[in-house]
Amino acid sequence: MRPAKLEWAYEWLKTTKHLYINGKWTPGSSGKVIESVNPANGKVIGRFTGASKEDVDAAVRAARAAFESGEWHEMSRKERGRRLRMISDLIRQHQDELATLESLDNGKLYREAYMDDVQEAADIFEYYAGWTDKYYGEYNPVEGNFVSWTTRDPIGVCGQIVPWNFPIDMAAWKLSPALAMGNTVVLKPSSVTSLSAIRLFEIIHEAGILPPGVINLILGEGSVGTYISTHMDVDKVSFTGSTVVGKQLVHDSADSNLKPVTLELGGKSPNIIFADAPNLEGAIERSFYGLFTHKGEKCSAPTRLLVQRPVYEQVVEGIAKYANSYKLGDPFDPAIDQGPQVSQAHMERILRYIEIGKAEGARLVAGGYRDTEGSNAEGFFVRPTVFADVKNNMTIAQEEIFGPVLCVIPFDTEEEAVQIANDTIYGLAAGLWTNDVARAHRVAKRLNAGQVFVNRYGCYDFASPFGGFKQSGWGKEYAIHSLASYTKMKAIWIAH
């Protein structure tokens, strides 16, 4: 891991950043300037211009013109793949820059940003570069004197709205499959964490990899996303973020042009430890880190820990021990375990939930307060918080907190564990720990979640689809499954 490029970053941040439309950087027409705040100390570190509706119109026009020209989607599949691999290589070359900006902007540890976020962003461009010549139509064995086949054509102009918790990673999740299939894109990062996306577009622009208009970057607050989701000339929207906003995007689609929408939304994922779990200490450790890395700001985090009573107190004590040992502070300090929450508003939201948990009668065994020790006083730090003896109908067990707060819930029987696990509006992920293979099959089958992890919570690979059920979203990221949402299937018939 290369050292952080703090000196470079502060120099880069001295200039106000702009929108990227049709291959050019433009300040836009809104006149609004948005400040980027370092959550470790609450200080403004950079500024960028916010977009107006007219800027979104300009970006969509550029994307439409680029798509209709055919220069990108009619390019040979081999060449398109080569260019995506070039983007992957460039991300690796600038990995320290991108990770530094991500850590400054989001507050996550530099090593998390470097090893997890930016590394994966590079890897997923490389992965989808390999799909450009492997996803295609099929022959249809129809009756009569006909030949019929299907084609997989690019869907067109894609609006992509990216969250603040994994800014560059989520941008890559969306850009790479869309580009692999020959689409053009209007991307909007969160106004809280726009810096790494801006730098990514700079890197791609400087290398001259993509024709003008193929990718466009729109900056601004939530209303700007609405301009994209309601736009009549946007063919598809992909969104990662809260369930509340996801529902609104569905209405936006219905009220405009019925554009298809893929949604990766919230979660309240259960993680079940049975008394016969193999290597109980390993289960405790993984259950802790599965939630508390990246400050707990993860949609698929195992926020509800269901523990069978024979090992309940042992697990609670083990989790609390890990939580109490955590060091909070400067994300660039290798000795630190947890950085600040992404913003003051989000920190205050988490603290409100902690107070609700106390008022509801949950037993606080670790954390439960803002960390203001030493240099942390000006930052947005929340101690890793563990509530025991939680009832599943409590607010803290039902609503997504999206922070370093764990609810530990006791259970007696397998049937009870499954009932508690599924008793939520969400269905993103779930986990279970058991030495009984038959139980593993039974429970995994009954858990109503898009991915189920057995004896190791949090397994992710580009070859395996990622996405949830119920109010956790529509559609899948990763693997071949994400490509369907960036193409339209056409059936062709020829009489003979």
Side-chain angles (χ1 to χ4, degrees):
M1 183 173 69
R2 298 194 296 263
K5 283 208 167 182
L6 282 166
E7 186 176 339
W8 168 87
Y10 288 128
E11 186 65 30
W12 183 81
L13 288 164
K14 287 180 180 178
T15 58
T16 300
K17 307 306 175 186
H18 300 304
L19 319 178
Y20 185 72
I21 299 174
N22 202 28
K24 298 178 182 178
W25 295 99
T26 171
S29 59
S30 73
K32 186 170 185 178
V33 176
I34 299 172
E35 294 180 335
S36 180
V37 174
N38 181 351
N41 56 27
K43 295 180 179 178
V44 174
I45 54 173
R47 293 172 176 83
F48 53 90
T49 54
S52 65
K53 185 178 184 299
E54 290 71 28
D55 296 323
V56 173
D57 288 340
V60 173
R61 283 196 304 272
R64 173 62 60 196
F67 183 75
E68 297 298 337
S69 77
E71 185 177 357
W72 179 244
H73 70 80
E74 292 177 5
M75 184 180 291
S76 75
R77 294 186 295 272
K78 182 178 180 181
E79 177 61 19
R80 200 158 66 234
R82 187 185 74 85
R83 296 195 186 198
L84 292 184
R85 279 187 287 273
M86 288 174 65
I87 296 175
S88 173
D89 291 341
L90 284 169
I91 292 172
R92 292 192 180 100
Q93 291 169 25
H94 296 270
Q95 193 164 349
D96 47 357
E97 296 174 5
L98 291 163
T100 301
L101 292 175
E102 200 81 316
S103 189
L104 282 172
D105 210 16
N106 171 277
K108 64 179 62 191
L109 302 182
Y110 174 71
R111 64 176 179 270
E112 291 174 332
Y114 188 98
M115 298 301 295
D116 298 342
D117 300 31
V118 184
Q119 182 63 55
E120 182 169 291
D123 291 347
I124 200 166
F125 269 101
E126 183 175 54
Y127 175 80
Y128 279 109
W131 272 109
T132 57
D133 59 357
K134 298 178 183 64
Y135 192 63
Y136 37 79
E138 57 203 0
Y139 170 78
N140 307 320
V142 299
E143 300 290 343
N145 294 322
F146 303 96
V147 174
S148 178
W149 69 93
T150 61
T151 61
R152 284 286 188 176
D153 302 326
I155 199 165
V157 176
C158 300
Q160 302 183 324
I161 304 173
V162 177
W164 49 254
N165 60 329
F166 289 88
I168 191 170
D169 199 9
M170 295 293 101
W173 279 32
K174 297 186 185 304
L175 284 167
S176 55
L179 294 175
M181 293 297 99
N183 297 286
T184 58
V185 173
V186 176
L187 181 85
K188 181 204 171 296
S190 167
S191 61
V192 181
T193 55
S194 295
L195 300 183
S196 61
I198 295 169
R199 182 58 181 151
L200 174 62
F201 273 63
E202 278 187 357
I203 292 166
I204 296 171
H205 170 77
E206 290 163 4
I209 295 172
L210 302 175
V214 171
I215 58 170
N216 303 272
L217 181 66
I218 289 295
L219 307 171
E221 296 171 344
S223 60
V224 176
T226 302
Y227 300 149
I228 295 171
S229 62
T230 57
H231 204 289
M232 293 294 291
D233 207 27
V234 170
D235 298 307
K236 181 257 185 326
V237 165
S238 177
F239 170 76
T240 299
S242 74
T243 297
V244 171
V245 176
K247 289 180 178 181
Q248 182 57 53
L249 295 185
V250 174
H251 286 286
D252 292 346
S253 170
D255 292 340
S256 56
N257 59 349
L258 278 180
K259 60 178 69 66
V261 179
T262 54
L263 305 169
E264 200 275 282
L265 307 176
K268 198 70 183 178
S269 299
N271 181 25
I272 307 168
I273 297 182
F274 289 97
D276 68 342
N279 184 10
L280 184 60
E281 181 54 42
I284 293 170
E285 180 182 21
R286 182 61 190 172
S287 297
F288 176 83
Y289 288 110
L291 169 57
F292 289 100
T293 51
H294 293 266
K295 309 167 289 171
E297 295 171 344
K298 299 179 290 186
C299 56
S300 60
T303 52
R304 291 183 299 146
L305 182 60
L306 283 55
V307 186
Q308 203 162 24
R309 288 193 192 274
V311 295
Y312 180 77
E313 289 301 335
Q314 183 179 349
V315 171
V316 169
E317 290 174 10
I319 291 285
K321 183 178 179 181
Y322 277 107
N324 289 326
S325 70
Y326 240 34
K327 296 178 182 177
L328 277 62
D330 179 3
F332 294 95
D333 183 344
I336 293 300
D337 300 305
Q338 180 180 307
Q341 308 308 138
V342 72
S343 67
Q344 181 173 348
H346 189 58
M347 174 193 69
E348 291 172 351
R349 179 178 183 273
I350 294 167
L351 293 172
R352 284 196 298 272
Y353 272 111
I354 290 172
E355 293 307 310
I356 290 171
K358 294 175 184 177
E360 288 182 325
R363 175 164 58 104
L364 184 66
V365 296
Y369 58 93
R370 179 180 181 179
D371 188 327
T372 57
E373 184 176 345
S375 59
N376 292 352
E378 302 302 318
F380 312 138
F381 296 89
V382 177
R383 287 293 313 174
T385 299
V386 180
F387 282 108
D389 305 341
V390 175
K391 294 180 173 60
N392 199 55
N393 62 358
M394 291 180 175
T395 303
I396 58 171
Q398 287 295 315
E399 297 185 11
E400 186 177 40
I401 300 171
F402 216 66
V405 180
L406 176 64
C407 299
V408 190
I409 303 170
F411 72 90
D412 291 301
T413 66
E414 179 183 310
E415 183 66 29
E416 183 186 8
V418 172
Q419 187 276 323
I420 294 171
N422 288 337
D423 183 18
T424 172
I425 64 171
Y426 300 108
L428 186 52
L432 67 130
W433 305 77
T434 180
N435 210 32
D436 184 333
V437 175
R439 170 184 281 160
H441 280 277
R442 282 195 309 270
V443 174
K445 184 177 181 180
R446 295 182 64 193
L447 290 174
N448 198 6
Q451 42 269 317
V452 178
F453 310 114
V454 179
N455 292 338
R456 206 271 188 194
Y457 194 99
C459 306
Y460 305 104
D461 191 287
F462 301 142
S464 181
F466 180 90
F469 303 154
K470 298 191 283 186
Q471 293 188 40
S472 286
W474 292 352
K476 299 293 183 183
E477 306 274 8
Y478 279 7
I480 189 175
H481 310 279
S482 68
L483 299 178
S485 67
Y486 288 108
T487 58
K488 52 192 178 187
M489 180 185 288
K490 180 187 296 182
I492 299 173
W493 293 67
I494 296 182
H496 65 86

